[in-house]
Amino acid sequence: MSLKNATPLAIYTADEWSLRPASAMDADFVEQVRSIVQRVEQGGRAAVEEFAKQWDGWDGVSSLLLGRAELVAALERVSNEVRQLLERVHGRIQRFAVAQRGTIGELELAIPGGAAGHRLLPIEQVGCYVPGGRYPLPSTALMTVTTARAAGCRRVVMATPKPDPVILAAAAIAGADEVLLVGGAQAIAALAIGFEGFDAVDLICGPGNRWVTAAKQWVVGRVGIDMLAGPSELVVVADDRADCRRVAFDLLAQAEHDRDSRPFLVTSNPAIAVEVNRHLQLLISESPHRETICLSCANGAAIVARDWEEVVRVVDRLAPEHLELHVENAAELASRFQNAGCVFIGGESAEVFGDYGIGPNHTLPTGGSSRYSSGLNVMTFMRWQTWLRLEQPIPPELIQDTMALADLEGLTHHRLAAQQRL
């Protein structure tokens, strides 16, 4: 039993709460996605066009691909106010990505007999997926395409169904080379496989629904992917100094994404959970997105821990996409949380600022995957290439050790190849 269930966020103690496992994709659904990918692989352009007519509202006459000229034309059609907004956000995202790139350089290390090192190379061709959904998402277009450009990718394609003019304007500002007007699993298949008049990419990034996520699973290996994104998540940690009304606003901002979103509150004071829920009830009653928010809140919880140590354990177990710290001394305490895609430090640092391009990328690991992975960043679009250069005289110890290891592994020609350098 929870402490109180007749609230937007059901209240649990940390002992009562158990993580709800992500629902597995049923076999019929997985087979449908596999069939889409296979049909694109076998049918090429004709299959992509058939899916575009069926699901993406394509008229069968206009081009499925928009080039730079069409994107620039779309940019000219939006208002100056919208254009300036997109340019400001693009500038902030670009500045952060370029700064990230600057923290990592090339390496050359002297070793016995020569040198070894690495160099950084951009991934050549990238596909950025931007969901269609209920609302246009120019922020996702800016976050993905801008970051790929900052990494130096030669070709950056955006895929999105039925794009709003603002989406195309964002693609133009961010630097997309072309836009593929296809969505869902068929878009992922087209990006990974290519078709007549459209070359496949090397890496696919960007969020999407379960069709997009399942298709990414099918094509990984043929191409790289950024991550398998699930429903969006926010954990707010609040102490006695937190503004409960502000916490409620931040939780609702997360919950309105879609009905699968997962908002959580973690606190060591049960009174905070009750007060936040009181504000949630008042705000939900006035919201135009009441139905979506209520369904989202049912996916989350308010978790009451015994003490601060347990708060940290609960949050690290949740390993959320977003973590907001509405606590005293937030800057000092932030480093104690190990598992989160992005940490928002202090009550002023609302997650919505991260959504809309303050700097760090908003495409982040979900479903507990922040335990082992990172959000989209400039390094997503780069790869390390290591190198080795040896010159005579090669130190005899290096050659002898190589021969000895080859003997241990029973690899005769490994031993002989090393021996030739004596």
Side-chain angles (χ1 to χ4, degrees):
M1 281 289 293
S2 66
L3 294 174
K4 183 178 181 183
N5 276 313
T7 57
L9 289 179
I11 304 174
Y12 297 86
T13 66
D15 288 337
E16 290 171 326
W17 173 253
S18 61
L19 283 177
R20 305 168 203 178
S23 57
M25 294 180 183
D26 64 78
D28 288 344
F29 172 72
V30 171
E31 176 57 27
Q32 288 179 66
V33 174
R34 185 202 64 78
S35 175
I36 291 170
V37 174
Q38 189 174 57
R39 283 174 63 186
V40 170
E41 185 170 30
Q42 295 173 349
R45 187 181 192 95
V48 174
E49 290 180 347
E50 181 183 343
F51 287 129
K53 287 178 185 176
Q54 183 179 356
W55 290 326
D56 300 322
W58 182 57
D59 60 14
V61 178
S62 56
S63 176
L64 276 179
L65 283 168
L66 303 181
R68 277 301 297 177
E70 289 93 342
L71 299 184
V72 172
L75 179 58
E76 297 298 326
R77 289 194 294 271
V78 300
S79 69
N80 285 334
E81 182 181 13
V82 169
R83 177 171 184 160
Q84 290 167 11
L85 169 64
L86 295 174
E87 287 174 342
R88 287 195 303 272
V89 175
H90 163 68
R92 291 194 289 262
I93 297 166
Q94 183 182 53
R95 182 170 178 264
F96 189 86
V98 169
Q100 274 189 326
R101 173 65 179 83
T103 65
I104 305 168
E106 301 202 347
L107 169 69
E108 180 167 340
L109 176 70
I111 62 171
H118 71 233
R119 62 177 182 147
L120 286 169
L121 299 171
I123 292 173
E124 281 284 291
Q125 303 188 80
V126 170
C128 301
Y129 187 80
V130 176
R134 294 183 300 161
Y135 304 109
L137 297 175
S139 58
T140 300
L142 292 171
M143 285 286 185
T144 53
V145 177
T146 300
T147 309
R149 280 293 179 216
C153 300
R154 177 179 61 81
R155 174 178 172 239
V156 182
V157 180
M158 193 177 87
T160 189
K162 297 174 284 191
D164 183 278
V166 177
I167 293 281
L168 298 180
I173 288 171
D177 293 302
E178 54 190 330
V179 173
L180 177 64
L181 304 180
V182 181
Q186 60 272 24
I188 302 304
L191 289 170
I193 298 165
F195 55 84
E196 183 185 351
F198 179 79
D199 292 335
V201 300
D202 302 311
L203 178 132
I204 299 170
C205 70
N209 60 18
R210 66 180 190 143
W211 294 89
V212 170
T213 300
K216 278 184 172 182
Q217 288 180 300
W218 275 111
V219 301
V220 69
R222 181 192 291 265
V223 296
I225 63 169
D226 55 346
M227 65 187 78
L228 296 173
S232 192
E233 307 155 346
L234 170 65
V235 170
V236 176
V237 174
D239 65 8
D240 295 347
R241 300 289 186 93
D243 181 331
C244 291
R245 187 168 184 268
R246 178 177 287 184
V247 169
F249 270 110
D250 289 359
L251 288 166
L252 290 185
Q254 180 64 35
E256 74 174 345
H257 270 293
D258 59 57
R259 60 183 57 199
D260 295 322
S261 296
R262 306 180 75 214
F264 289 89
L265 170 69
V266 181
T267 182
S268 59
N269 184 347
I272 297 293
V274 172
E275 182 65 6
V276 168
N277 264 307
R278 185 178 73 82
H279 286 291
L280 284 172
Q281 285 175 321
L282 291 171
L283 295 170
I284 289 171
S285 69
E286 303 168 353
S287 172
H289 304 142
R290 284 189 296 276
E291 182 181 354
T292 296
I293 288 171
C294 288
L295 289 168
S296 296
C297 285
N299 300 323
I303 304 172
V304 180
R306 295 185 187 87
D307 51 32
W308 182 255
E309 298 299 325
E310 191 168 61
V311 166
V312 173
R313 287 197 297 272
V314 168
V315 172
D316 276 347
R317 187 181 174 199
L318 285 166
E321 178 185 19
H322 309 101
L323 172 63
E324 280 189 12
L325 301 180
H326 290 243
V327 298
E328 190 176 11
N329 301 322
E332 297 174 22
L333 296 171
S335 63
R336 297 187 61 182
F337 297 93
Q338 300 300 306
N339 301 335
C342 185
V343 183
F344 299 83
I345 302 171
E348 302 299 329
S349 308
E351 184 268 336
V352 294
F353 293 128
D355 277 349
Y356 290 136
I358 291 296
N361 209 285
H362 77 192
T363 304
L364 297 164
T366 60
S369 60
S370 67
R371 292 177 295 110
Y372 53 80
S373 63
S374 307
L376 194 75
N377 63 84
V378 73
M379 288 307 300
T380 304
F381 303 102
M382 305 194 75
R383 56 221 155 94
W384 306 91
Q385 184 185 81
T386 55
W387 56 267
L388 173 67
R389 184 182 70 247
L390 296 177
E391 298 173 352
Q392 288 289 355
I394 299 173
E397 180 184 5
L398 176 61
I399 298 175
Q400 295 293 346
D401 283 352
T402 301
M403 293 168 62
L405 277 171
D407 286 341
L408 284 175
E409 296 185 356
L411 298 174
T412 302
H413 293 284
H414 277 60
R415 184 186 200 284
L416 293 174
Q419 188 173 345
Q420 298 309 304
R421 271 72 181 179
L422 278 174

